[in-house]
Amino acid sequence: MNRFQVKKVAVLGAGVMGAQIAAHLVNVKVPVVLFDLPAKEGHKNGIVTRAVENLKKLKPSPLGVAADADLIGQANYEEHMEQLKDCDLIIEAIAERMDWKLDLYTKIAPFIAPHAIVASNTSGLSITKLSEVLPEAIKPRFCGIHFFNPPRYMTLVELIATPTTEPQILDDLETFVTSGLGKGVVRAKDTPNFVANRIGIAGMLATMKEVENFGLTYDVVDDLTGKRLGRASSGTFRTADVVGLDTMAHVVKTLQDNLDDSTDPFYGSFGTPPVLKKLIEMGNLGQKAKAGFFKKVGRDIQRFDLASGEYVPAGEKADEVYGRMLKRPAAERLKLLRNAEGPQGQFLWAILRNSFHYAAVHLATIAETARDVDQAMRWGFGMKQGPFELWQEAGWLEVAKMIQEDIAAGKALSTAPLPEWVFKGPVAEAGGVHTAQGSWNPSKGEFQGRLQLPVYQRQHFPELLLGEAGPKFETAGTTIEENDAIRIWSLDGDVLIASIKTKMHAISPDVCEGLMAAIDLAEKEYQGLVVWSGDEPFSAGADLQAMLPAFMAVGVSAIEDAEGFMQQTMLRLRYANVPVVSAVRGLALGGGCELAVYSARRVVHMESYIGLVEVGVGLVPGAGGLTYIARRAAENAETSTGKDLLPFLTEGFTAAAMAKVGTSALESRKLGYVLHSDVIVPHKDELLFVAISEAKSLFNGGYRAPHKRLFPVAGRDGKATILGSLVNMRDGGFISQHDFHIASLIANVVTGGDVEPGTLVNEDYLMTLERRAFCSLIVHAKTQERILGMLNTGKPVRN
């Protein structure tokens, strides 16, 4: 991999996107300075200061830890232009006005470092036109970089070259954006709205047009076009509210201003929908204005009714017959929808047909390959499959004939025929655009493989599209042992990998047996063990359902044995003679959290959610979680001159007693579930590569397991102090009596029970207390109510 380094970034423009791009740079430890105009009143950085403060309040949070907003440097164009000379990357993210952007480029040009990359975060303006005002020396280092909102959570970043952009600049930027920021890069052609917004916004406009045609309501449409259709759960109109109706209108205007009937045969469908125009006139711009297509009134959700101009009760659902249709295999699903008699089915077929039609007609002009379109729609619009993937899965030629028949019958949005390559040649022969050789490039008339940059060697199992060839983690490498619960295997013969196979990667007794066997084998023949299960979640916790049959047959002693075995598994992980590295992605809850914290190291994807959540089902952590909290408190107290353990224990106790979950790897670090010695990885597909590298590094550094030490506990005094606070919460009505009982048991374990303060204990002692507390609750009637409620509804029961 080349060594282009981004040591500092300047973001120009402290609006919604600029501020959130700066926030994400802070998340991944990249120093950043945020610029805007000088404020007319007060401190000249006032505009930026307000934007930074607002970042702390936004939900979902653009920051891994809200306080990290203070790490964003603040600057204005009047006083701080010299700071640009220290920046390796300058991202312009001001308002979508060509004249404003060109004026800004003229002002910053003298301050741009000779090596710096300059990129515009425009959502659709011509990158080539933007470059024309730049000096000749800067043009080769200029391109488009289009983040999707919100930048922390959305995977897609589009890179757009101009005719003068140096190829190496784009490669360098793609490397940084991929590995450094954790994003998925699609290279787009310099056409209006690029790839994702060109397809996505055209699709939303077409959907709104078909809504009018079939007379459906917005809540029904969102129910049909959300998860049921393999798209973002917010559906169509809720997504528009989240994006912002003014933002959507701007992107629509970009299409209207830069296209016409001769350049886009679907142009007649690009009129601003009357409902969108009306809502913008009313100032109801979506989520940020607390009203758009939908608004919340108290606990109720209302939807806008264009006919009356008022909001009316929402919540209407789609006819379940179409829900059942959408669960059928792709080929059958599309035929059923096309032949449906009801308006909801006809609507679904129409929007799918329109998306296939539009993508095929425009593929050659907006993207290099069909892969770019499908990945852009997956990463930028939250689709499970891109339009070409679904079309290919349903039967390429058969679907193509149905589309062409609708075009001929005047049912489609445009009379433009499908391109000739759809019916003849390599695509027709291969049965689709994605093949083992690559994805279809209509300009070159061939299947083109993925871009082979060195950064992609860090992705052992990249996200594949339907029809693409590539390794699959379920069968890759050399399998050593495998059963229904776990696969033990190796990619390189040096590091062993344990992949949990149970539903939600829940930890069952069989999983524990597999982990024990993997440690034994790793100690004999390998440099380390990585616990990585391929996809999300890392583990949703212990498998209570697997324990129920034994509990029903034998009683609580069976649960105690199972918990004891889990505890011994955790200790075996901690004291293994080779490093055990947990590669955490997604949820690591309950037993999953315990598995992670008992490993020698954690390699954690940024968007991971870690915590001990057992109180939600009326239990306490039972596989060593509370013991970990007590031990970590003692270890942290060693760095203090004071002897009181309680201040070091409070955070861990509170996290367990309130089932706090870190909503990012950074927040989990503050909760103590991720340590400063652990590695946080921005890109999910690099997790295994980094985990294996970490295991090898520890081994090569002469790794030795920690000693089994005695450590002090807070004892009865610490317990009494915690109980005093719990009594106040119970008597004040903040927690129930059963909550109080559970929290008291947690306090008893983490303080070591009825012993003198400072008493030295070992992990086995605390795990015995932990196990007893767990088993006392499993037979408690109120806990059983909580467990059954969670199993039946998936929601916690408060009793």
Side-chain angles (χ1 to χ4, degrees), residues 669-700:
R669 180 185 280 160
K670 292 183 74 69
L671 294 176
Y673 300 135
V674 176
L675 307 183
H676 284 282
S677 56
D678 296 331
V679 182
I680 296 175
V681 179
H683 201 295
K684 63 181 177 60
D685 292 337
E686 293 187 3
L687 200 62
L688 181 59
F689 173 88
V690 177
I692 290 173
S693 300
E694 187 73 4
K696 289 182 177 180
S697 176
L698 289 168
F699 178 85
N700 291 329

Side-chain angles (χ1 to χ4, degrees), residues 72 202 217 324 337 512 587 737:
I72 298 172
T217 60
R324 291 193 293 272
L337 293 174
C512 290
L587 302 177
Q737 178 59 37

Side-chain angles (χ1 to χ4, degrees), residues 370-387:
R371 181 191 306 106
D372 297 325
V373 169
D374 281 348
Q375 285 185 324
M377 298 313 293
R378 278 191 182 203
W379 293 339
F381 278 79
M383 292 186 177
K384 188 177 179 181
Q385 291 180 305

Side-chain angles (χ1 to χ4, degrees), residues 612-616 654-661:
L612 298 169
V613 296
E614 286 83 353
V615 297
T654 303
M658 297 183 65
K660 281 188 179 181
V661 174

